Amino acid sequence: MELPANPGDSPVELELTVENVESALYQLYFDPDMERKNEAQKWLTQAQASAQAWQFCWALLAPDKLPEVQFFGASTLHTKVARHWSDLPSDQHDSLRMQLLSHILLFSSGPKMVLTRLCVALASMALNLIPQAWSQPVADMVRAFQPQKPDSEGSSGSEATQDPQAHCLALLELLTVLPEEFQSRRLAQARRAQLREALAGEWAVVCPLLRQLLQSQDSSNQVKEKVLRCLSSWTGLDVTLGDSHELVQDCFTALSNPELFDSAVETIVTAISQPDSQRYTDALVTLMPLVLGLHDQLKTAARDGDMESSHGICRIAVAMGETHSRVLLEQVEHWQEYLALVNMILFCTGIPGYYPVSETTSSLTLTFWYTLQDDILSFDEEKQAVYLQVYRPVYFQLVDVLLHKSHYPSQEEYASWSSDDKEQFRIYRVDISDTLMYVYEMLGAELLSNLYDRLGRQLMDPQLSAVWQDTEALLFGFQSIAETIDVNYSDVIPGLIGLIPRINISNVMLADTVMYTIGSLAEWLADHPVMLGGILPMVLQGIVKPELSVSSVSTLKRICRECRHDLSPYAQDVLTVSQDVLVKEIHKSSQCMWLMQALGFLLSALPVDEILGRLHSLITPHVQRLDTLARQEPDPTNKQAIVHILGMLSSLFTTLDIRHSDSSDSASSQRPSAPQSTPNPVVVVLQQVFTLIQTILSKWLDDSDVVEAVCGVFDKSVRTLLHDFGPMVAHLSEMLGQIYSAYPQPSALDLARQMVHIFSGEEQHLGPISSLIEVLTSVTLHLFQQGPRNHPDIAESFMHLHAQVLKRKPELYLSEQLDVKGLFYCGILTLKFPETPTVKAAAQFFTELLPRCKDMPSLGDVLQRDGQLLTETILQAVGGESSRSLTEHFSEVLLSLNRHCPALLAQWLKETLQSPGFPSAHVSSEQKHSFSQQLLREQTNKRRVKDIVKEFSLLCRGLQGAG
């Protein structure tokens, strides 16, 4: 079918018929063509907005129409009432109300979707009329749904024969959607407050009705479920627990009915979770026995593996305990009841089964323990002491429970779990770890002693130590605490370090936890280096096992970082094992990078005369492999290997820093420093492999990954070595120029920026760096002439580079080889990019350039010539050409212009803004003048300029007041 004309067009009276609407609905629901569906959707939306919709919606609700057609009719009614209410004359309000009530009764037996939309329409109408024009909506609704007497007037005689239960359900649907419609409607604040107060007053009518229906033996499960949903809905209206607690008590009886259980849980949790319920202490105290009364039902559900029931009851217990923890703690005369609730929640925490495979309840309880602890520790010392006497034993039990819940299943069972279940279990253990760390604040050193004693008993008894899960859980507890708490003063850590080598790490999951536990104690080991000898062999044992890759390598890295000054006796062992696993390629790429960083830390602390020899023996196999790869023709496999080896060198040079060492470090201060004439070992190695790297580049120059990896090696070296990198500056400058000339890439610009940052102040390096900047600038300007839009990353890095040049060595701009005019224009073009980091870099370039225009004639000339273009570009961007999120960066450039050339800016603003419609048709001449005046007044207040520019930008976009 062809759709009728657009309802907004002139022939709307002819075209907008019931038949046409039905035809469009058929097209929307049943036509397989998506374009025709979208066309129908658009036409129907316009039809709903038309004045005729008030009439045709009733025809669509005729009993002989399809449910989809009836639903559209009901939805149209809601749309008209909610959005076009003012179109309906007030003298038609009563008849509309009667029609709606009549149709709700008519559809009380279904279809459900039509009934709900009609109820929402009447609810929306009530919100339009309350309180002035409809003072008692709920009472009127209840009256309208009372069973009709045979002699009733009008059409209700036919409705009287309908099922009374259907009428009751329809009334409950109406009462449920009324608060929901209030919540979803967009209302002015004053009107919302007025309506909230009026609706809260209606609760006095709703509550007795709901109680009567919930208590009645004649009410079906369907009716009772609707009552529960209705209470939840009204709770969202801030109906207080004080006003609803008797009805909430009635809800507990529904928990014994399997069909009502889920709804009852949802309703009870909603009711008692309201924060303001804390004001109704008596109501909470009244509800407490009912919650505690569920404990037997909870135990039965847990015993029978009924996850749904145990989950629901746990939610109720946690809602009561967590939301009202402090209030219930303060009810001293009821302390035993609250302690019973806490123990009930503890039972939920320790519910039998493995999370998330055979139980999903325990995770609900973890935040409760935080809340209870915070509330106890927030009391004054005297009260706190009393509460701690009661609750510390509970928290010790909690630790036992949490460690038990963190147990892995048997390896066979664990292997059968899905990857999703394993990931959820991993996250669950992280949550348990966080909880244990938090609990330490309450239990303190006694907790560590407790764990240590249990671990000792476990490892000394062969029968106990055979159960690896128990050992793993205890270590997991230690690691959880040591990871974030300073355990340096704990007297049990030496014993723990002594116990760890006794652990049989043949089980992978236990071995993983052993590794992480050792890693968490790295700082302690740095203060107690005598213990390293017993623990390091275990870590090296782990390094050679691929299945322990992540845990063992990360632990070795932590030890090498924290204990590097005491590792000299073990350096040969660490290097031998590490070299072996690297050559055998036991670990994945990322772990190889970690391992190289670990070895960088290790080498850094060795005597200087030893470093170069050890460094050579470490990297020679990889350099030889790189040499072989460099001779081969490029292919994807070779590329991956080249990038991997270059990445390993980068990682090594990131941490190999012989200049480092805290002056406070006694070990480091005793270490002989390199004489000034001795080149840094890293520089020696780089000089030796430089030709090899050039060979690689000659074949891979057009591959950004390889070029980035090469630049990464030098970038990491420069950052770590700083001025020690000096001997390489000339060679690297030349190579970077060659790389960039052949194939411009941002990594080369970023490395050049690092070199400017470090070496531009040193006279002997100024020549190579100056030549490099000239080459990079010339190539980039040529790229910009061809069209820079496809290279936002290059534009960004280029702007950052020149901002750094201006900051560190602006004299480089005196070179005749540097095209300052072209640079200025590049900056203007970069301001037009849509990418935030790129625009930010351009803004930074101009804020560094503008202050130097007075002292450098070449810059001053360019500003005189192109400053107006810069101003125009910024205003254009602010006026709507660029995203609003970029306004802040444009305001920084305007502030800099105003600070360093205010007279020129005033002239440029005047000339630029006088063009009609510039930068937007939304702003008048007066508004543009006002903006100029405000801007020119501010030369220091960055925040104020930002606000001025932001407000002007909103005006230009027609978004006044949308900030």
Side-chain angles (χ1 to χ4, degrees):
M1 73 133 215
E2 285 304 315
L3 274 177
N6 184 321
D9 293 345
S10 53
V12 66
E13 289 81 6
L14 296 173
E15 298 293 338
L16 197 53
T17 62
V18 173
E19 291 74 21
N20 283 338
V21 172
E22 282 193 73
S23 189
L25 284 166
Y26 276 95
Q27 185 169 314
L28 175 66
Y29 288 121
F30 305 116
D31 195 315
D33 186 333
M34 278 310 296
E35 268 192 52
R36 287 171 61 77
K37 279 180 181 287
N38 292 336
E39 185 186 346
Q41 174 76 56
K42 188 176 178 184
W43 189 87
L44 287 164
T45 302
Q46 292 172 330
Q48 279 187 321
S50 70
Q52 295 94 309
W54 286 108
Q55 282 76 47
F56 74 65
C57 58
W58 299 110
L60 298 175
L61 285 163
D64 59 340
K65 301 293 184 189
L66 279 178
E68 289 85 357
V69 174
Q70 293 171 332
F71 177 76
F72 183 76
S75 294
T76 300
L77 261 173
H78 175 236
T79 301
K80 300 309 288 182
V81 171
R83 299 182 193 166
H84 304 277
W85 182 246
S86 58
D87 297 347
L88 190 72
S90 56
D91 59 2
Q92 294 182 27
H93 291 175
D94 281 346
S95 82
L96 176 63
R97 181 167 66 181
M98 296 312 295
Q99 276 181 290
L100 275 168
L101 282 166
S102 171
H103 276 76
I104 289 170
L105 288 166
L106 197 63
F107 282 92
S108 59
S109 297
K112 172 75 166 59
M113 61 179 183
V114 182
L115 172 65
T116 299
R117 294 317 291 168
L118 287 169
C119 289
V120 172
L122 183 56
S124 191
M125 181 179 182
L127 296 179
N128 290 332
L129 297 174
I130 294 172
Q132 290 87 352
W134 196 357
S135 56
Q136 296 180 313
V138 173
D140 291 346
M141 290 173 187
V142 171
R143 200 174 303 114
F145 284 85
Q146 292 297 326
Q148 301 294 316
K149 295 176 183 176
D151 60 348
S152 62
E153 297 176 12
S155 63
S156 52
S158 63
E159 289 151 4
T161 60
Q162 293 188 21
D163 182 1
Q165 174 169 293
H167 283 196
C168 182
L169 288 168
L171 173 61
L172 288 169
E173 180 70 14
L174 184 52
L175 294 177
T176 302
V177 301
L178 182 58
E180 291 171 353
E181 180 68 3
F182 167 75
Q183 301 286 16
S184 63
R185 275 282 283 272
R186 294 182 67 177
L187 297 162
Q189 195 172 351
R191 177 64 177 153
R192 182 170 289 279
Q194 183 189 34
L195 276 175
R196 187 184 293 279
E197 187 181 349
L199 288 172
E202 296 291 294
W203 178 245
V205 180
V206 176
C207 186
L209 173 67
L210 298 184
R211 288 203 72 192
Q212 179 191 339
L213 291 171
L214 198 56
Q215 291 172 352
S216 171
Q217 293 183 342
D218 296 333
S219 296
S220 66
N221 282 344
Q222 205 179 352
V223 167
K224 288 182 177 179
E225 185 169 4
K226 214 67 176 131
V227 167
L228 293 166
R229 224 193 101 206
C230 191
L231 171 55
S232 287
S233 179
W234 281 81
T235 302
L237 266 185
D238 301 337
V239 168
T240 67
L241 191 62
D243 292 332
S244 66
H245 71 95
E246 291 175 334
L247 178 54
V248 175
Q249 288 179 55
D250 296 339
C251 294
F252 277 83
T253 60
L255 291 168
S256 57
N257 184 332
E259 289 184 38
L260 299 176
F261 182 84
D262 289 344
S263 298
V265 167
E266 210 59 57
T267 302
I268 293 167
V269 168
T270 302
I272 61 180
S273 294
Q274 295 177 90
D276 79 329
S277 301
Q278 296 176 3
R279 294 190 289 129
Y280 304 96
T281 310
D282 292 344
L284 290 171
V285 169
T286 309
L287 290 173
M288 183 70 90
L290 296 172
V291 178
L292 295 175
L294 299 173
H295 204 157
D296 288 341
Q297 192 178 343
L298 172 66
K299 287 177 181 173
T300 304
R303 186 191 64 217
D304 298 344
D306 179 357
M307 287 169 66
E308 287 75 16
S309 296
S310 54
H311 194 87
I313 294 170
C314 175
R315 283 185 63 202
I316 292 171
V318 170
M320 178 66 99
E322 192 173 332
T323 313
H324 309 297
S325 169
R326 189 177 181 89
V327 172
L328 293 170
L329 279 169
E330 287 173 334
Q331 305 310 304
V332 181
E333 65 277 19
H334 297 286
W335 71 272
Q336 287 172 308
E337 285 185 1
Y338 188 54
L339 180 59
L341 179 66
V342 171
N343 280 310
M344 184 176 172
I345 295 172
L346 182 63
F347 176 85
C348 294
T349 306
I351 206 154
Y354 288 106
Y355 182 93
V357 177
S358 52
E359 68 91 3
T360 55
T361 299
S362 56
S363 63
L364 301 175
T365 65
L366 298 180
T367 53
F368 163 75
W369 299 107
Y370 287 73
T371 305
L372 177 59
Q373 179 175 316
D374 285 346
D375 286 335
I376 289 171
L377 297 181
S378 70
F379 287 115
D380 61 58
E381 280 188 34
E382 194 177 333
K383 266 189 180 178
Q384 204 181 108
V386 175
Y387 287 117
L388 287 174
Q389 197 173 354
V390 175
Y391 287 102
R392 264 176 67 91
V394 177
Y395 271 82
F396 274 111
Q397 283 179 272
L398 171 66
V399 171
D400 291 346
V401 166
L402 290 174
L403 292 178
H404 183 73
K405 290 299 293 182
S406 70
H407 275 199
Y408 281 97
S410 68
Q411 282 183 286
E412 299 74 30
E413 187 179 343
Y414 189 67
S416 71
W417 285 13
S418 69
S419 56
D420 187 49
D421 285 340
K422 287 178 181 175
E423 176 59 12
Q424 283 195 54
F425 183 62
R426 185 193 68 77
I427 294 168
Y428 175 67
R429 278 173 52 102
V430 170
D431 292 340
I432 287 177
S433 175
D434 291 343
T435 310
L436 288 169
M437 178 269 292
Y438 206 76
V439 164
Y440 179 83
E441 189 183 346
M442 179 183 273
L443 302 181
E446 194 180 341
L447 171 55
L448 289 177
S449 300
N450 183 303
L451 293 175
Y452 172 66
D453 292 343
R454 287 174 60 186
L455 184 64
R457 289 196 299 273
Q458 179 84 21
L459 293 175
M460 297 304 175
D461 185 330
Q463 281 187 312
L464 291 176
S465 58
V467 185
W468 66 266
Q469 287 94 334
D470 290 339
T471 306
E472 192 279 334
L474 288 165
L475 283 174
F476 173 72
F478 265 115
Q479 179 217 329
S480 301
I481 295 161
E483 202 64 69
T484 45
I485 305 293
D486 182 5
V487 293
N488 274 9
Y489 305 104
S490 169
D491 55 1
V492 303
I493 302 301
L496 172 64
I497 295 285
L499 285 175
I500 284 176
R502 293 174 169 271
I503 299 170
N504 179 350
I505 60 169
S506 56
N507 178 277
V508 173
M509 287 172 276
L510 173 57
D512 253 338
T513 303
V514 168
M515 292 300 152
Y516 285 127
T517 305
I518 294 170
S520 70
L521 297 171
E523 287 184 37
W524 186 91
L525 287 166
D527 291 336
H528 306 83
V530 70
M531 307 299 283
L532 279 166
I535 218 80
L536 203 53
M538 281 192 91
V539 180
L540 296 180
Q541 262 183 282
I543 291 283
V544 301
K545 298 180 180 179
E547 64 272 21
L548 299 180
S549 181
V550 174
S551 59
S552 62
V553 175
S554 64
T555 294
L556 182 64
K557 181 182 168 184
R558 290 177 78 168
I559 289 174
C560 288
R561 184 181 65 216
E562 301 298 335
C563 312
R564 53 183 171 240
H565 303 304
D566 302 293
L567 287 177
S568 189
Y570 317 104
Q572 187 57 55
D573 290 344
V574 174
L575 284 163
T576 302
V577 174
S578 300
Q579 282 171 284
D580 189 48
V581 298
L582 287 168
V583 170
K584 290 178 180 174
E585 298 184 347
I586 284 174
H587 300 294
K588 290 181 180 174
S589 184
S590 54
Q591 277 71 58
C592 291
M593 305 306 156
W594 295 356
L595 190 50
M596 286 304 243
Q597 287 174 11
L599 298 176
F601 286 127
L602 175 70
L603 291 171
S604 298
L606 295 179
V608 175
D609 53 1
E610 279 185 37
I611 294 176
L612 189 58
R614 292 189 184 276
L615 182 58
H616 269 135
S617 64
L618 171 62
I619 66 170
T620 296
H622 308 292
V623 172
Q624 288 172 346
R625 174 97 194 281
L626 200 58
D627 189 42
T628 305
L629 291 165
R631 298 171 196 279
Q632 295 171 2
E633 286 307 304
D635 71 49
T637 309
N638 290 351
K639 171 185 165 178
Q640 194 176 359
I642 288 169
V643 169
H644 173 73
I645 294 169
L646 291 171
M648 288 205 299
L649 293 176
S650 295
S651 299
L652 178 65
F653 298 156
T654 302
T655 54
L656 207 172
D657 181 9
I658 64 168
R659 304 166 308 96
H660 86 242
S661 298
D662 298 324
S663 54
S664 59
D665 236 317
S666 56
S668 65
S669 57
Q670 292 163 11
R671 185 170 64 75
S673 58
Q676 290 300 310
S677 58
T678 306
N680 190 295
V682 173
V683 174
V684 174
V685 169
L686 286 173
Q687 287 171 329
Q688 289 169 351
V689 300
F690 197 80
T691 308
L692 173 56
I693 287 175
Q694 286 181 309
T695 307
I696 290 169
L697 281 173
S698 67
K699 291 187 177 180
W700 292 92
L701 199 52
D702 60 347
D703 189 294
S704 60
D705 293 331
V706 174
V707 172
E708 197 172 316
V710 167
C711 289
V713 172
F714 292 105
D715 182 67
K716 297 293 190 293
S717 306
V718 169
R719 287 171 186 270
T720 306
L721 302 179
L722 300 177
H723 297 282
D724 283 1
F725 188 84
M728 293 293 299
V729 170
H731 293 303
L732 183 55
S733 297
E734 186 181 351
M735 189 180 82
L736 274 181
Q738 291 167 354
I739 290 174
Y740 198 75
S741 298
Y743 195 76
Q745 294 190 39
S747 52
L749 295 169
D750 295 337
L751 179 51
R753 175 160 58 102
Q754 281 301 321
M755 292 170 67
V756 168
H757 177 68
I758 295 164
F759 296 108
S760 58
E762 297 182 20
E763 197 62 40
Q764 71 269 33
H765 300 310
L766 204 52
I769 286 179
S770 179
S771 300
L772 173 61
I773 298 302
E774 287 167 12
V775 170
L776 298 178
T777 302
S778 171
V779 173
T780 309
L781 291 182
H782 182 65
L783 189 70
F784 265 73
Q785 285 167 0
Q786 296 172 329
R789 185 61 205 92
N790 295 329
H791 306 286
D793 49 352
I794 289 177
E796 179 188 340
S797 294
F798 186 60
M799 289 292 107
H800 278 310
L801 169 62
H802 274 280
Q804 186 71 266
V805 170
L806 286 161
K807 191 174 184 177
R808 308 289 292 193
K809 202 69 178 174
E811 299 93 290
L812 292 179
Y813 271 57
L814 298 173
S815 166
E816 291 182 6
Q817 306 302 315
L818 207 63
D819 183 357
V820 179
K821 293 177 185 175
L823 265 172
F824 197 91
Y825 191 63
C826 271
I828 291 174
L829 286 178
T830 308
L831 285 173
K832 296 182 177 183
F833 277 55
E835 291 84 2
T836 299
T838 311
V839 173
K840 187 176 179 181
Q844 193 181 347
F845 165 69
F846 279 114
T847 52
E848 291 291 347
L849 181 143
L850 292 169
R852 291 167 177 80
C853 289
K854 279 184 184 175
D855 306 326
M856 302 180 71
S858 58
L859 291 181
D861 292 346
V862 174
L863 181 64
Q864 287 275 1
R865 195 192 73 169
D866 287 331
Q868 185 168 335
L869 179 60
L870 171 63
T871 308
E872 186 181 319
T873 302
I874 291 172
L875 292 175
Q876 216 164 1
V878 167
E881 285 285 312
S882 296
S883 165
R884 277 169 61 192
S885 61
L886 300 173
T887 306
E888 179 179 355
H889 306 304
F890 298 128
S891 68
E892 287 172 7
V893 183
L894 287 172
L895 176 62
S896 191
L897 281 166
N898 197 25
R899 210 176 257 172
H900 301 291
C901 48
L904 286 171
L905 178 62
Q907 178 191 331
W908 295 331
L909 284 172
K910 184 179 178 182
E911 290 176 10
T912 307
L913 289 174
Q914 69 185 7
S915 304
F918 182 87
S920 160
H922 289 290
V923 283
S924 64
S925 299
E926 291 76 14
Q927 288 170 321
K928 289 193 274 188
H929 179 71
S930 172
F931 164 68
S932 296
Q933 294 305 304
Q934 288 182 65
L935 183 64
L936 292 167
R937 274 198 295 270
E938 291 294 342
Q939 292 192 341
T940 53
N941 191 330
K942 190 174 177 181
R943 169 63 53 191
R944 176 72 186 124
V945 171
K946 182 184 167 186
D947 290 341
I948 291 166
V949 176
K950 180 183 175 184
E951 187 58 38
F952 184 65
S953 181
L954 291 172
L955 283 171
C956 290
R957 297 164 200 263
L959 297 170
Q960 295 95 319

